Every structure is written in structure tokens, then in C-alpha cells.
Amino acid sequence: KAGVTQTPRYLIKTRGQQVTLSCSPISGHRSVSWYQQTPGQGLQFLFEYFSETQRNKGNFPGRFSGRQFSNSRSEMNVSTLELGDSALYLCASSLGLSTDEQYFGPGTRLTVT
Amino acid sequence: AQKVTQAQTEISVVEKEDVTLDCVYETRDTTYYLFWYKQPPSGELVFLIRRNSFDEQNEISGRYSWNFQKSTSSFNFTITASQVVDSAVYFCALSEEGNTPLVFGKGTRLSVIA
């Protein structure tokens, strides 16, 4: 079974621009969660989607948004990029419950200059 | 609120030594789940184990073992006869029942030296 895939793997953007990251979950998984990982803050939860509905949202500004499609694929968008948004963005998929095992993709490394 | 503490920021051991990574958690729920993940230099988090709060039996998987003690709110991870390939950052995480998000500790960076 194919694992979680994320595209692109690396991205360099300029302050003020916007960016869209994509995540394809493991086949049959209906829940997708997004995390931001930085050296200072560690792994922080962004949001979780289940059956196209946002089920949970972390403590991030409204510039961070996401969505899930009917095939469970998910995208997250960050508008008006700031230098502090530079991070590794990880996507994880699970069968359905937040307490299920979450399987992570390789991440998208975003650098904002 | 749920919280996970991994007090050891970095550990360095010589190959074949045993090493224990500590994890202490806080939760008000009686039903919760604990996890360990491994993050090698490639960056992808690899799932290692999931344990629910009602199962305090220790778990062994090859060279890996986990010790869950509710009395001390700890879920420690031991690697026996460590190998260079075990070098990674290890994260402990907690999820409460009710579809709350996974909360991670800060991680412990393990370096195994040949």
C-alpha cells in the first residue's frame, strides 16, 4: 500500500506571497492532519480534516487554511507569508479517529525569504 | 490540558549500549492513547507504537520495548543493543478520547556512535 505523499517536497517563497501544499493520504484513510515543525516550537498541530469537514483546528492565525476533497486528498494554504512560516510541514493520515495511528508523509520544507 | 514532557533533549550512546528515552504526560481524561514516533534525518515521522490507557502491559518488539506506568504518568521507551541506524529524534505523543489532536513532546535526539 502506498504511503502518504506530499508535494512539493521543497519550496522557497518570498515574504507576502502565498503557498499551497498538497497531501495524498493512504488509500482508505479518511482523516488528514497537518502539523508545523520548527526547531523552536517543535511539532504543532495545525488542523485536521475528516470526510471533507474540519474537525479540529490548532492555534494558528487565519492566514493558515486548509481543505479536504471527496477523495480524502488535502491541501493547506498559507497566505501573506512571513519569515516565521519557514518550517517543515507534515501531513498525516489515519483511518478516522484522532486516536488512531497516524502515518506521516515526508513533509514539505518551506523556506520564506 | 494535555501535555507531554521529554526531559532529555539529547542522548549520545556507544553502539550496543542500551538506552531509555523518558516520556511523562499529563491528562485529565481516563481514556487516552500514547504514541512513540521516530524521525530519522530524512524527516518523515515513523510510527512505532500506540498504547491505550487501559493496557499497562509492557510491550516488546525486537530490540524495542516500552514501559507504561500510570502511577507515574510515564511511557518510557528502551532500545536494547543500540545500533547506528537508531540515530534519530524520537517523539512521544498523547491523544485524548473525543477526537482531540495529537500533542507531541519536544523530542529526544539520540545519537548512536559506532
Side-chain angles (χ1 to χ4, degrees), chain B residues 60-71:
Chain B
I60 298 174
S61 176
R63 296 183 298 105
Y64 295 171
S65 63
W66 290 269
N67 181 261
F68 177 29
Q69 290 196 337
K70 285 176 78 170
S71 60

Side-chain angles (χ1 to χ4, degrees), chain B:
Chain B
Q2 54 194 104
K3 184 180 176 183
V4 175
T5 301
Q6 296 179 256
Q8 305 150 307
T9 308
E10 292 191 39
I11 300 176
S12 185
V13 298
V14 176
E15 205 172 20
K16 296 183 184 174
E17 285 185 351
D18 298 347
V19 59
T20 295
L21 309 182
D22 297 333
C23 172
V24 174
Y25 62 91
E26 293 176 29
T27 177
R28 292 177 184 166
D29 274 19
T30 55
T31 303
Y32 52 89
Y33 295 79
L34 295 162
F35 304 79
W36 275 94
Y37 284 86
K38 172 183 180 180
Q39 187 176 40
S42 60
E44 183 172 339
L45 267 75
V46 177
F47 168 79
L48 295 177
I49 189 171
R50 169 181 178 261
R51 175 54 55 87
N52 76 55
S53 53
F54 297 107
D55 182 4
E56 285 193 74
Q57 275 196 326
N58 290 336
E59 175 113 5
I60 298 174
S61 176
R63 296 183 298 105
Y64 295 171
S65 63
W66 290 269
N67 181 261
F68 177 29
Q69 290 196 337
K70 285 176 78 170
S71 60
T72 55
S73 297
S74 65
F75 187 43
N76 297 336
F77 172 32
T78 297
I79 302 174
T80 303
S82 59
Q83 300 176 359
V84 172
V85 293
D86 296 328
S87 297
V89 181
Y90 290 86
F91 292 94
C92 181
L94 166 71
S95 180
E96 297 170 338
E97 199 169 56
N99 286 326
T100 58
L102 203 56
V103 170
F104 286 85
K106 294 290 189 184
T108 297
R109 181 177 298 278
L110 173 65
S111 298
V112 181
I113 304 164

Side-chain angles (χ1 to χ4, degrees), chain A residues 11-109:
Chain A
L11 209 48
I12 300 175
K13 290 286 188 178
T14 304
R15 247 182 333 177
Q17 288 185 317
Q18 75 163 16
V19 66
T20 299
L21 312 181
S22 180
C23 171
S24 293
I26 292 171
S27 176
H29 283 191
R30 296 170 64 190
S31 173
V32 172
S33 297
W34 289 89
Y35 298 84
Q36 181 196 64
Q37 186 177 25
T38 59
Q41 298 300 316
L43 276 158
Q44 292 187 287
F45 170 76
L46 278 158
F47 24 66
E48 179 196 8
Y49 288 89
F50 177 77
S51 293
E52 302 179 67
T53 301
Q54 187 179 84
R55 186 158 66 181
N56 280 302
K57 188 178 191 306
N59 189 24
F60 279 82
R63 300 184 297 106
F64 291 81
S65 63
R67 59 178 175 169
Q68 186 180 34
F69 302 96
S70 58
N71 61 359
S72 293
R73 192 177 69 84
S74 176
E75 287 182 348
M76 68 162 279
N77 183 277
V78 188
S79 62
T80 318
L81 284 166
E82 300 177 359
L83 294 178
D85 297 333
S86 294
L88 179 66
Y89 290 88
L90 292 160
C91 164
S93 78
S94 66
L95 282 170
L97 299 175
S98 297
T99 52
D100 289 333
E101 295 106 80
Q102 293 190 24
Y103 294 91
F104 284 78
T108 294
R109 172 80 59 189

